[in-house]
Amino acid sequence: DGAANQGQIAYLDGIQLVIQSMEAHPDTAKVQAFACAALQSLACDSSDHRSKIAMLGGIELVLGAMRAHPRAANVQAFGCAALQSLACN
């Protein structure tokens, strides 16, 4: 079950680990892309996860990844998807 898996990931500090990976590897497009994808998935169906991602600076990190890697299509695509999920109520 996707929601149960997302809850387990968040419970095990998965959101913080994704954020930390983005902070530790800002110049690595693959890390940024897959971190954006993970944040999108975690934010998709959970207002609690969206709030936590925002509180930990996830929105700024997604925007920063997109600015740092303007020619990396996967960063742009996953970044947009993450922002879309983070913008939902």
Side-chain angles (χ1 to χ4, degrees):
D1 179 1
N5 290 338
Q6 290 172 354
Q8 186 69 9
I9 290 167
Y11 175 76
L12 295 171
D13 294 330
I15 293 172
Q16 292 92 322
L17 293 172
V18 171
I19 296 289
Q20 289 171 3
S21 72
M22 293 182 82
E23 293 170 337
H25 304 284
D27 297 328
T28 306
K30 280 189 177 182
V31 171
Q32 298 301 308
F34 291 121
C36 287
L39 292 177
Q40 184 278 325
S41 179
L42 290 164
C44 187
D45 295 318
S46 172
S47 62
D48 289 340
H49 295 172
R50 288 192 293 275
S51 295
K52 188 167 196 170
I53 291 165
M55 182 186 71
L56 293 172
I59 295 168
E60 293 83 2
L61 286 168
V62 170
L63 292 170
M66 294 175 74
R67 285 187 198 105
H69 303 283
R71 298 187 193 277
N74 56 352
V75 174
Q76 299 302 312
F78 290 132
C80 285
L83 292 173
Q84 180 181 17
S85 288
L86 287 162
C88 294
N89 279 330

